[in-house]
Amino acid sequence: QVQLVESGGGLVQAGNSLRLSCAASKRILARPAMGWFRQARGEAREFVARLSWIDNSTVYADSVKGRFTISRNIAKNMLYLQMNNLKPEDTAEYYCAIQLVRDRFSIATHEYGYWGQGTQVTVSS
């Protein structure tokens, strides 16, 4: 079973950048996509970005569009999230995950799995 480990979080001031990394213990095969999600304290986990394993297309939540970029390094089994122009409302625990449903597009949290332990991002104003 694949394991995912997130890293790269930290405390930054608004307007600054962070790059999150997600290391997979082995190559992701036969899955349509991977995604980044986040969960602020006291709130539900929400979708942030998705990268298709099939055609490399990307999808972003409206709240991060134009500021965040999801990418991958296939050879290194890595997924990344470049976060620019960070805002205090981006403060959350960030998680990477693998889309479990194989036959359709999904950004639903419950249709993703193999969650890592998360990495905390805190943006001060």
Side-chain angles (χ1 to χ4, degrees):
Q1 178 166 317
V2 65
Q3 294 183 321
L4 303 177
V5 179
E6 302 94 338
S7 62
L11 172 63
V12 296
Q13 288 188 326
N16 284 353
S17 300
L18 280 174
R19 187 195 196 203
L20 304 185
S21 298
C22 171
S25 58
K26 58 184 181 181
R27 183 161 292 184
I28 308 300
L29 299 173
R31 299 292 183 180
M34 287 189 68
W36 284 97
F37 295 77
R38 66 187 182 186
Q39 186 168 18
R41 186 172 298 180
E43 298 187 12
R45 193 168 297 186
E46 65 176 9
F47 167 77
V48 174
R50 178 186 187 269
L51 176 61
S52 168
W53 246 229
I54 299 172
D55 60 10
N56 216 37
S57 61
T58 57
V59 175
Y60 298 92
D62 288 343
S63 59
V64 307
K65 201 172 295 183
R67 300 187 297 122
F68 290 12
T69 302
I70 187 172
S71 63
R72 62 175 171 171
N73 184 319
I74 297 175
K76 295 183 178 181
N77 298 331
M78 296 290 294
L79 183 74
Y80 303 101
L81 185 68
Q82 178 66 42
M83 306 186 297
N84 297 330
N85 190 22
L86 282 161
K87 303 177 180 181
E89 52 263 43
D90 294 319
T91 295
E93 191 85 10
Y94 283 71
Y95 301 89
C96 59
I98 301 171
Q99 181 177 323
L100 300 178
V101 293
R102 300 175 189 244
D103 59 350
R104 64 182 183 276
F105 172 92
S106 175
I107 57 171
T109 305
H110 69 277
E111 293 186 334
Y112 281 71
Y114 301 98
W115 300 92
Q117 84 291 345
T119 186
Q120 177 68 36
V121 172
T122 303
V123 184
S124 63
S125 56

